[in-house]
Amino acid sequence: MPFFLCWGFAIWLVASAVFRLMGHYFFILEKPLFMIAAFILAIPLIWIATIPIYSLKKIMGTERLLAAFCIVLPGMLIDAVVLFFFDDVFPNLSADVDRYFASWLLWAYSLILITGFTKASFVKKNTIHS
């Protein structure tokens, strides 16, 4: 499962960089549709970042839930600290949007955990019996 811990850290790093550089385009109190779009956009992005990896690594059954947990763990631990220093880490975001950002984080981490319950696989199974 170390691969999934590293993968989770990479996802956290990319997401944090995106919000550090472009978060002010997503979290605008005067334009709630942009915030809603950020929540909706998370669904396919998280699906793309997790489901194919489970299939490539041939993770099935309850191991998939463990893998999902390993993916969210690094980000959740780091974000618990980052949110204390929200103004310093995300100077491009207004302090008024910190609760919306935290809500988005919970949404994204929940979506990743939900992928651990999926049974979808991109690996074709051989249906020819010998």
Side-chain angles (χ1 to χ4, degrees):
M1 291 296 150
F3 169 82
F4 291 101
L5 289 168
C6 293
W7 186 248
F9 177 76
I11 290 172
W12 170 83
L13 189 62
V14 169
S16 294
V18 166
F19 286 115
R20 172 65 174 86
L21 300 172
M22 299 184 307
H24 55 283
Y25 295 118
F26 296 105
F27 296 103
I28 305 170
L29 292 176
E30 296 81 27
K31 298 182 181 179
L33 288 179
F34 285 3
M35 282 197 279
I36 292 169
F39 279 78
I40 293 171
L41 185 62
I43 297 168
L45 291 177
I46 286 170
W47 187 267
I48 290 167
T50 56
I51 299 298
I53 298 301
Y54 299 149
S55 294
L56 286 171
K57 292 291 191 175
K58 296 179 176 49
I59 303 295
M60 299 293 177
T62 56
E63 286 185 349
R64 189 171 273 208
L65 187 56
L66 178 60
F69 176 76
C70 288
I71 291 171
V72 300
L73 189 61
M76 290 180 82
L77 291 172
I78 296 168
D79 280 333
V81 175
V82 164
L83 288 174
F84 278 114
F85 303 102
F86 181 82
D87 295 336
D88 297 322
V89 177
F90 300 104
N92 58 326
L93 295 175
S94 165
D96 296 337
V97 301
D98 61 348
R99 65 180 173 207
Y100 301 106
F101 181 73
S103 175
W104 186 90
L105 290 174
L106 289 171
W107 169 252
Y109 291 132
S110 297
L111 290 174
I112 293 171
L113 289 173
I114 288 170
T115 67
F117 291 100
T118 63
K119 292 184 181 181
S121 176
F122 291 115
V123 178
K124 286 190 171 187
K125 295 181 181 173
N126 188 357
T127 58
I128 300 173
H129 300 286
S130 28

